[in-house]
Amino acid sequence: MERIVKANDREYNEKFQYADNRIHTSKYNILTFLPINLFEQFQRVANAYFLCLLILQLIPEISSLTWFTTIVPLVLVITMTAVKDATDDYFRHKSDNQVNNRQSEVLIDSKLQNEKWMNVKVGDIIKLENNQFVAADLLLLSSSEPHGLCYVETAELDGETNLKVRHALSVTSELGADINRLARFDGIVVCEAPNNKLDKFMGILSWKDSKHSLNNEKIILRGCILRNTSWCFGMVIFAGPDTKLMQNSGKTKFKRTSIDRLMNTLVLWIFGFLICLGIILAIGNSIWESQIGDQFRTFLFWNEGEKSSVFSGFLTFWSYIIILNTVVPISLYVSVEVIRLGHSYFINWDRKMYYSRKATPAEARTTTLNEELGQIEYIFSDKTGTLTQNIMTFKRCSINGRIYGEVPDDLDQKTEITQEKEPVDFLVKSQADRQFQFFDHNLMESIKMGDPKVHEFLRVLALCHTVMSEENSAGELIYQVQSPDEGALVTAARNFGFIFKSRTPETITIEELGTLVTYQLLAFLDFNNTRKRMSVIVRNPEGQIKLYSKGADTILFEKLHPSNEVLLSLTSDHLSEFAGEGLRTLAIAHRDLDDKYFKEWHKMLEDANAATEERDERIAGLYEEIERDLMLLGATAVEDKLQEGVIETVTSLSLANIKIWVLTGDKQETAINIGYACNMLTDDMNDVFVIAGNNAVEVREELRKAKENLSGQNRNVSNGHVVCEKKQQLELDSIVEETVTGDYALIINGHSLTVYDQWFITLFNIVYTSLPVLAMGIFDQDVSDQNSMDCPQLYEPGQLNLLFNKRKFFICVLHGIYTSLALFFIPYGAFYNVAGEDGQHIADYQSFAVTMATSLVIVVSVQIALDTSYWTFINHVFIWGSIAIYFSILFTMHSNGIFGIFPNQFPFVGNARHSLTQKCIWLVILLTTVASVLPVVVFRFLKVNLYPTLSDQIRRWQKAQKKARPPSSRRPRTRRSSSRRSGYAFAHQEGYGELITSGKNMRAKNPPPTSGLEKTHYNSTSWIENLCKKTTDTVSSFGQDKTVKL
């Protein structure tokens, strides 16, 4: 399908029913929230199971428990999850409203009017101003720049902060800013249907009886920011959900974590076990009914239809499914949701994750994936704007075999340049970039002494580039740069006295040490990813023809004249040194050209440009021909400033056994260079393999060969484990709790009766034991955050799922079975044929139930206390307070007053007061608690002392160092050496040479004020050495304890 859009005609466009510019990233609205959210929640096995259970409990013939024992926890789970989901979606709505209510200037009724983004329609003409977001996908009509050019930043779309050029059709660029002419514009665009291809667009503009082809260069996409352009006008082609940005965003999906999936699997297993158990008990009931039950039927007044033993077994099966329902851990889901919510607030409140420069805190945009932070194995990171600031700074250079950029100390040793050194006082202070600093005064001395090689080197930097210059209203020289690398080099030349002033399609004017010099631009040999170099051919005022070139050393060195052998060797060593420091390098060279030779070459170039076949190949061949026998001048070294903390973060992640993938559209050399700069790649690595296959078979074969060549050992270390580890421990504790509370049923005359009071069953998970579990899950930490950072190996259990897996689950099931047996048979044996202290018989059902329930609450609370490593006031209140709440509710429900109001619901009148006032009952409770907890204590004691985990070792060391911890020493920074490798990196796009020589980007008038290159300084530290030493010291200190094996 195709799209037809007419400019300035809403009525015409409305008949196509195109989407408006309102966006929706939220999942729900008021009407759809309840059905969609319930549908999502009942995809959880436990929720679906309890819904079926509730339906079964409404059938009197099989219901052994009242309906409220199921509906109360189920409603609580559903409600809390719904509140959390609604909160998440509220913030999505809030974000949508912020975007939809942004203002934009729209041409309506021949006037520019402020309109909200959501009210913008397809076909509208919009005015954009500098540094403004683009409201919709627009066809560029005109701009303040020559020939309808404009510059946009596409960081929101592709992460790149390099400016992209868009240019309007010549027929529309003539409209300029004339509102009347723009209002009369009635062109019709026929184009492709909405799609998610960011780099492609096909369409035709029909206007004034002529048709004009449209491509991606004529389109400004929503999400872009207008840069270095005073204003532009555009026609809306795609709006709202039809824009390419929204087409790529996808639909918000309901995400489940690996723990959620594992819990669903375990719940299915538990449910299967419950079914098997119900079948076994139903068969036993049928056998009992057929052999023994017949003797009681006369006295029980059964109906004829109920006398079948098979039917009795069928009904009993469903009764047991209801009675034993608590083995399915529905409360686990509640606990997990609450803990996730608590952890998300901790993330939002974390001061160490607060970015003070922009007053931006961390923000957990979803509360469903928190524990995944402790299970990460791979990180996929963008390069630009994530690892680096994309701000280039000229740091060092090599000119004619001499390095500039180092300051010798008193012992004539090379030292690192720091801010304490006095910066160079540049020759032309009035035109120098005040943010640029250089500390090696030797370069300025060489310039002042008139060193011809130094002058020629700086001349290349000032001439060989695609930078555009302009002056702002204050008369300050401003550079518009497509590549930050070029900006750094041209700025460096400017500060050293070789100032790029202006250019036309035929000339380049620079100021050389105060003298204006205009060079005739004869040819521009543009950069591309294959050539990896850029050259300009100019004629100087003396009539000499010069070729100036810069590019990758691996390419440019092959083009050098044989007489450069000695200088080549020196410069290669310098490049290795620069690359070892993580700097981006370019080689600089030049060549004198004979006038006759150039004319012949230029004639062949013109013929190649006019060719219809093999045009690119012929041009490339001519470029190769003239770019030979070059004379080497030296090399540049530019620092691509890393984001603050990148080196530390990457090192920690690597030590944490997290594999890092950096995604970048840059050249291979750039990627390798950044890898070394941020310590993803180090010189300690024996081999760095480049996989360059173009299909799956080639890549697989190259990986196989690389694997065969690999040597050394893998490092399995980790960091930041607390979130996942404690989350997984919580899952196990909760499952134990659920297993423990599986009800026992007393068989009385063929019918079942639960041991526990029905109100106890209802309140156990949601009142008596919920808060201690939540306190441990939210606040507990096995080791301190600093020790977690010092010993990154702690992250590994989360990656390997060592703390919550199927094996651990079965161990917990066995633990729960043992505890259940102890809770039942110890009171049962103690009560068997026993009289109370008052001489009365106490082996009654109600006293037995109260004793078991009290023992259970105390056992669970003690178990939680044993599992808690980090005690807070809240932990104490929740654990011991839960026991107090249990006794308060117990005595209330067994009181005479509530029995008088609800006699059918609270039949245990006076039992708690009668039972818990006897010493023998408390002895039974104490014995049951000790028998339940003692094996756990003994097992953990032996395990910690004989087979301690790393976490156990650190806890022991942490306690030993708690009172007096020695300060960690810092190692002095050392210069990182490097084996010979190319540090070439040049962030540049092909096509700018043609744009310059065509003159389309030349400005006729002084432009409005625009911002120049922003520069911030990054001060690296020896954090890596400190971390490695600290980790080594920490592990060594564990090894001093002979009972601990690491």
Side-chain angles (χ1 to χ4, degrees):
M1 293 181 64
E2 61 182 15
R3 167 167 291 215
I4 303 174
V5 181
K6 186 174 182 179
N8 290 315
D9 196 337
R10 287 190 173 185
E11 184 177 350
Y12 175 86
N13 296 320
E14 282 175 357
K15 67 182 182 182
F16 298 104
Q17 297 182 342
Y18 295 137
D20 59 23
N21 206 37
R22 185 191 301 267
I23 63 165
H24 304 274
T25 61
S26 55
K27 293 171 59 177
Y28 317 106
N29 58 39
I30 295 177
L31 296 178
T32 63
F33 174 74
L34 195 59
I36 294 178
N37 189 260
L38 288 176
F39 174 76
E40 290 175 345
Q41 289 202 57
F42 282 111
Q43 290 182 48
R44 286 178 171 167
V45 178
N47 291 349
Y49 164 71
F50 274 89
L51 179 63
C52 297
L53 192 68
L54 178 61
I55 296 173
L56 291 176
Q57 285 183 307
L58 298 177
I59 304 174
E61 288 78 9
I62 61 174
S63 179
S64 50
L65 291 174
T66 55
W67 57 270
F68 61 78
T69 60
T70 298
I71 199 170
V72 171
L74 180 62
V75 169
L76 183 66
V77 171
I78 298 297
T79 301
M80 295 193 69
T81 305
V83 169
K84 180 188 69 65
D85 292 341
T87 302
D88 287 345
D89 209 55
Y90 164 76
F91 288 108
R92 294 192 193 102
H93 276 285
K94 189 175 179 180
S95 176
D96 289 346
N97 290 333
Q98 274 185 330
V99 174
N100 289 329
N101 286 288
R102 287 177 179 171
Q103 296 290 318
S104 189
E105 289 186 278
V106 182
L107 186 59
I108 301 176
D109 298 331
S110 300
K111 294 184 298 183
L112 283 175
Q113 301 179 14
N114 282 330
E115 279 282 356
K116 294 179 179 178
W117 277 23
M118 61 183 176
N119 296 329
V120 171
K121 304 292 184 182
V122 170
D124 287 351
I125 292 181
I126 295 178
K127 179 183 180 182
L128 297 175
E129 295 183 345
N130 194 35
N131 298 325
Q132 190 174 1
F133 274 99
V134 180
D137 289 356
L138 308 177
L139 169 64
L140 180 62
L141 298 178
S142 62
S143 77
S144 59
E145 303 299 299
H147 305 282
L149 263 65
C150 74
Y151 301 89
V152 294
E153 179 186 299
T154 60
E156 292 286 330
L157 297 175
D158 55 19
E160 292 291 337
T161 56
N162 295 339
L163 300 184
K164 311 291 193 303
V165 175
R166 297 291 181 262
H167 51 89
L169 292 167
S170 57
V171 294
T172 62
S173 64
E174 296 172 355
L175 297 173
D178 190 328
I179 300 300
N180 292 327
R181 295 181 65 188
L182 287 166
R184 292 194 300 269
F185 176 71
D186 58 354
I188 296 178
V189 173
V190 180
C191 66
E192 61 191 18
N195 59 73
N196 62 355
K197 297 178 181 178
L198 296 174
D199 57 346
K200 292 183 180 180
F201 180 84
M202 295 179 62
I204 295 175
L205 171 65
S206 300
W207 187 45
K208 292 183 177 180
D209 300 325
S210 60
K211 294 185 177 181
H212 309 274
S213 178
L214 303 176
N215 56 32
N216 200 52
E217 301 303 313
K218 310 293 189 296
I219 301 297
I220 308 176
L221 300 181
R222 179 184 180 127
C224 296
I225 302 176
L226 191 66
R227 297 292 193 198
N228 294 341
T229 307
S230 180
W231 51 263
C232 73
F233 285 88
M235 170 185 169
V236 177
I237 304 297
F238 299 120
D242 291 341
T243 60
K244 292 184 182 289
L245 175 65
M246 297 305 297
Q247 289 282 311
N248 278 279
S249 64
K251 189 177 180 181
T252 303
K253 296 180 180 179
F254 181 68
K255 298 179 181 178
R256 288 189 180 88
T257 65
S258 58
I259 286 182
D260 277 337
R261 292 191 291 270
L262 179 56
M263 286 196 301
N264 274 348
T265 301
L266 297 179
V267 167
L268 284 173
W269 288 4
I270 294 172
F271 183 69
F273 169 75
L274 180 60
I275 295 293
C276 294
L277 190 59
I279 291 173
I280 294 172
L281 293 173
I283 293 173
N285 175 266
S286 297
I287 296 173
W288 185 88
E289 284 290 345
S290 63
Q291 296 181 1
I292 301 174
D294 287 340
Q295 304 174 20
F296 297 93
R297 290 181 181 177
T298 304
F299 305 103
L300 295 175
F301 303 104
W302 281 19
N303 296 327
E304 289 297 324
E306 294 179 341
K307 292 184 179 180
S308 168
S309 60
V310 175
F311 184 68
S312 174
F314 173 77
L315 295 180
T316 303
F317 168 80
W318 295 108
S319 295
Y320 277 118
I321 293 296
I322 296 172
I323 290 173
L324 301 174
N325 72 83
T326 51
V327 300
V328 180
I330 188 172
S331 66
L332 175 61
Y333 289 98
V334 185
S335 302
V336 168
E337 294 297 343
V338 174
I339 290 169
R340 283 172 175 164
L341 183 63
H343 286 169
S344 67
Y345 279 108
F346 281 169
I347 292 173
N348 295 343
W349 296 336
D350 195 330
R351 293 183 179 180
K352 293 183 179 179
M353 297 173 69
Y354 178 78
Y355 187 54
S356 57
R357 291 184 183 177
K358 294 188 177 181
T360 304
E363 181 182 1
R365 301 192 178 213
T366 178
T367 59
T368 59
L369 305 173
N370 293 345
E371 67 269 22
E372 298 281 276
L373 295 174
Q375 298 173 287
I376 294 170
E377 294 185 64
Y378 298 91
I379 288 180
F380 291 83
S381 171
D382 184 27
K383 190 266 297 182
T384 305
T386 304
L387 292 183
T388 69
Q389 301 178 36
N390 207 27
I391 298 176
M392 310 299 175
T393 306
F394 185 87
K395 283 292 186 182
R396 303 173 70 189
C397 62
S398 170
I399 304 176
N400 198 29
R402 179 179 179 183
I403 288 182
Y404 296 96
E406 293 175 323
V407 178
D409 60 13
D410 295 337
L411 299 177
D412 199 26
Q413 298 293 320
K414 295 177 181 178
T415 61
E416 182 186 353
I417 297 172
T418 63
Q419 295 297 328
E420 286 81 18
K421 300 293 182 180
E422 187 68 26
V424 170
D425 186 14
F426 297 111
L427 295 173
V428 281
K429 289 186 178 180
S430 60
Q431 300 188 64
D433 187 327
R434 297 181 181 88
Q435 295 181 336
F436 179 82
Q437 287 186 315
F438 200 76
F439 296 88
D440 189 352
H441 295 261
N442 293 325
L443 182 55
M444 289 304 302
E445 293 297 325
S446 298
I447 295 172
K448 292 176 182 178
M449 292 173 61
D451 187 328
K453 295 293 185 180
V454 173
H455 284 202
E456 193 76 344
F457 179 91
L458 295 173
R459 190 174 291 116
V460 175
L461 300 187
L463 291 171
C464 186
H465 57 78
T466 60
V467 174
M468 300 297 297
S469 66
E470 57 189 33
E471 290 185 357
N472 60 18
S473 57
E476 296 175 342
L477 188 63
I478 301 296
Y479 290 151
Q480 289 185 6
V481 297
Q482 184 270 332
S483 160
D485 295 270
E486 287 199 327
L489 297 179
V490 175
T491 300
R494 168 184 177 176
N495 282 53
F496 290 121
F498 286 73
I499 307 170
F500 167 62
K501 299 291 288 186
S502 63
R503 76 188 323 146
T504 69
E506 296 83 21
T507 64
I508 301 176
T509 301
I510 65 174
E511 182 180 320
E512 298 182 0
L513 303 177
T515 303
L516 281 177
V517 182
T518 298
Y519 292 83
Q520 183 182 355
L521 180 59
L522 302 178
F524 196 106
L525 285 59
D526 202 3
F527 170 91
N528 65 35
N529 287 338
T530 304
R531 287 169 37 78
K532 297 182 181 179
R533 62 190 182 277
M534 171 195 298
S535 300
V536 293
I537 301 176
V538 297
R539 189 190 302 272
N540 63 20
E542 289 76 27
Q544 298 171 324
I545 299 178
K546 298 274 191 176
L547 182 146
Y548 295 128
S549 184
K550 68 181 181 185
D553 53 290
T554 53
I555 301 295
L556 217 59
F557 285 174
E558 297 175 358
K559 311 293 181 184
L560 296 179
H561 191 275
S563 62
N564 289 269
E565 185 176 351
V566 176
L567 180 58
L568 172 61
S569 177
L570 280 173
T571 306
S572 296
D573 292 340
H574 296 165
L575 284 169
S576 295
E577 186 176 340
F578 297 159
E581 296 172 1
L583 302 177
R584 300 159 65 94
T585 61
L586 288 175
I588 306 296
H590 73 115
R591 178 188 179 188
D592 294 332
L593 298 177
D594 178 70
D595 190 66
K596 181 180 178 182
Y597 168 74
F598 173 75
K599 288 180 179 179
E600 294 175 354
W601 177 87
H602 195 264
K603 179 64 171 63
M604 290 188 290
L605 181 64
E606 289 177 343
D607 294 341
N609 280 320
T612 57
E613 295 182 359
E614 298 182 347
R615 175 178 177 272
D616 293 340
E617 290 78 4
R618 291 177 61 181
I619 293 175
L622 290 170
Y623 285 179
E624 289 285 334
E625 179 184 330
I626 202 167
E627 290 175 324
R628 59 183 173 83
D629 292 336
L630 301 177
M631 301 303 294
L632 183 63
L633 288 171
T636 62
V638 172
E639 179 187 23
D640 185 2
K641 288 185 175 296
L642 296 175
Q643 297 279 8
E644 184 178 349
V646 163
I647 298 177
E648 298 91 325
T649 302
V650 169
T651 304
S652 287
L653 294 175
S654 299
L655 291 174
N657 198 31
I658 295 177
K659 292 81 177 176
I660 306 171
W661 292 67
V662 176
L663 313 178
T664 176
D666 287 332
K667 278 68 66 182
Q668 177 181 305
E669 289 84 355
T670 307
I672 293 175
N673 190 64
I674 292 297
Y676 278 97
C678 64
N679 263 49
M680 285 180 57
L681 303 176
T682 66
D683 292 320
D684 295 333
M685 297 179 178
N686 294 330
D687 295 289
V688 176
F689 297 99
V690 176
I691 308 299
N694 295 318
N695 54 57
V697 176
E698 293 179 4
V699 170
R700 189 178 295 112
E701 179 62 22
E702 290 187 39
L703 288 173
R704 185 188 63 79
K705 292 179 180 178
K707 185 177 180 180
E708 292 176 355
N709 295 329
L710 278 177
S711 59
Q713 59 182 1
N714 294 324
R715 293 179 300 173
N716 293 313
V717 290
S718 60
N719 151 25
H721 70 300
V722 176
V723 171
C724 175
E725 181 171 320
K726 301 315 297 181
K727 173 77 71 174
Q728 293 182 338
Q729 188 63 42
L730 163 69
E731 320 297 340
L732 294 175
D733 292 334
S734 298
I735 287 177
V736 171
E737 176 191 310
E738 296 288 353
T739 308
V740 166
T741 61
D743 288 301
Y744 284 89
L746 300 179
I747 308 301
I748 301 178
N749 294 336
H751 289 272
S752 59
L753 178 68
T754 58
V755 172
Y756 298 119
D757 173 24
Q758 297 188 38
W759 282 104
F760 179 81
I761 296 173
T762 303
L763 299 176
F764 179 79
N765 284 325
I766 61 177
V767 177
Y768 298 152
T769 59
S770 60
L771 294 180
V773 172
L774 294 179
M776 187 189 75
I778 294 176
F779 299 106
D780 199 30
Q781 49 180 276
D782 52 353
V783 299
S784 67
D785 56 347
Q786 186 59 50
N787 285 335
S788 296
M789 294 297 294
D790 290 347
C791 194
Q793 295 94 327
L794 290 167
Y795 196 81
E796 189 174 6
Q799 289 178 321
L800 302 178
N801 293 319
L802 298 180
L803 299 168
F804 184 41
N805 50 47
K806 295 171 184 176
R807 177 178 173 273
K808 290 285 187 179
F809 167 74
F810 283 115
I811 292 175
C812 287
V813 169
L814 294 176
H815 178 205
I817 291 173
Y818 166 78
T819 307
S820 298
L821 293 174
L823 285 168
F824 182 83
F825 285 105
I826 291 177
Y828 180 82
F831 274 49
Y832 190 74
N833 289 332
V834 173
E837 297 174 6
D838 54 1
Q840 296 181 3
H841 188 69
I842 65 168
D844 62 278
Y845 159 65
Q846 293 187 350
S847 299
F848 180 71
V850 168
T851 305
M852 275 192 65
T854 305
S855 300
L856 174 58
V857 171
I858 294 175
V859 166
V860 170
S861 298
V862 172
Q863 183 70 54
I864 291 292
L866 291 174
D867 290 333
T868 301
S869 302
Y870 184 78
W871 285 90
T872 66
F873 175 76
I874 296 177
N875 291 84
H876 282 289
V877 171
F878 281 6
I879 292 177
W880 315 125
S882 294
I883 297 177
I885 289 175
Y886 163 73
F887 283 111
S888 300
I889 295 176
L890 178 67
F891 282 105
T892 301
M893 290 193 303
H894 290 195
S895 65
N896 295 333
I898 199 168
F899 174 76
I901 301 174
F902 305 105
N904 294 328
Q905 299 296 329
F906 300 97
F908 282 39
V909 58
N911 183 267
R913 184 173 62 256
H914 169 74
S915 300
L916 297 180
T917 55
Q918 301 188 49
K919 297 177 183 178
C920 60
I921 297 293
W922 285 105
L923 287 174
V924 172
I925 294 173
L926 177 62
L927 178 61
T928 304
T929 303
V930 172
S932 299
V933 175
L934 187 60
V936 177
V937 175
V938 172
F939 174 78
R940 291 187 180 180
F941 175 80
L942 295 176
K943 182 175 179 297
V944 167
N945 284 276
L946 299 178
Y947 305 101
T949 64
L950 183 58
S951 180
D952 296 330
Q953 299 172 48
I954 294 180
R955 275 199 298 270
R956 176 181 297 174
W957 178 83
Q958 191 170 270
K959 291 178 181 178
Q961 300 293 326
K962 190 174 182 180
K963 293 184 178 179
R965 183 174 183 175
S968 58
S969 60
R970 299 186 63 87
R971 295 171 59 183
R973 177 167 179 157
T974 57
R975 183 186 303 276
R976 180 166 65 87
S977 62
S978 171
S979 56
R980 174 71 181 105
R981 58 180 175 79
S982 172
Y984 156 73
F986 191 51
H988 197 282
Q989 288 188 323
E990 183 179 0
Y992 273 78
E994 182 180 350
L995 196 64
I996 287 172
T997 54
S998 68
K1000 288 185 177 181
N1001 62 339
M1002 304 302 174
R1003 181 183 296 280
K1005 300 178 181 179
N1006 286 339
T1010 55
S1011 59
L1013 292 174
E1014 297 179 358
K1015 299 181 184 292
T1016 57
H1017 293 279
Y1018 173 75
N1019 186 18
S1020 59
T1021 65
S1022 58
W1023 184 90
I1024 304 167
E1025 294 89 342
N1026 189 29
L1027 172 70
C1028 295
K1029 181 180 186 299
K1030 194 182 294 183
T1031 304
T1032 305
D1033 293 344
T1034 303
V1035 173
S1036 299
S1037 65
F1038 300 149
Q1040 293 174 1
D1041 190 340
K1042 294 182 180 180
T1043 63
V1044 176
K1045 298 179 181 179
L1046 180 58

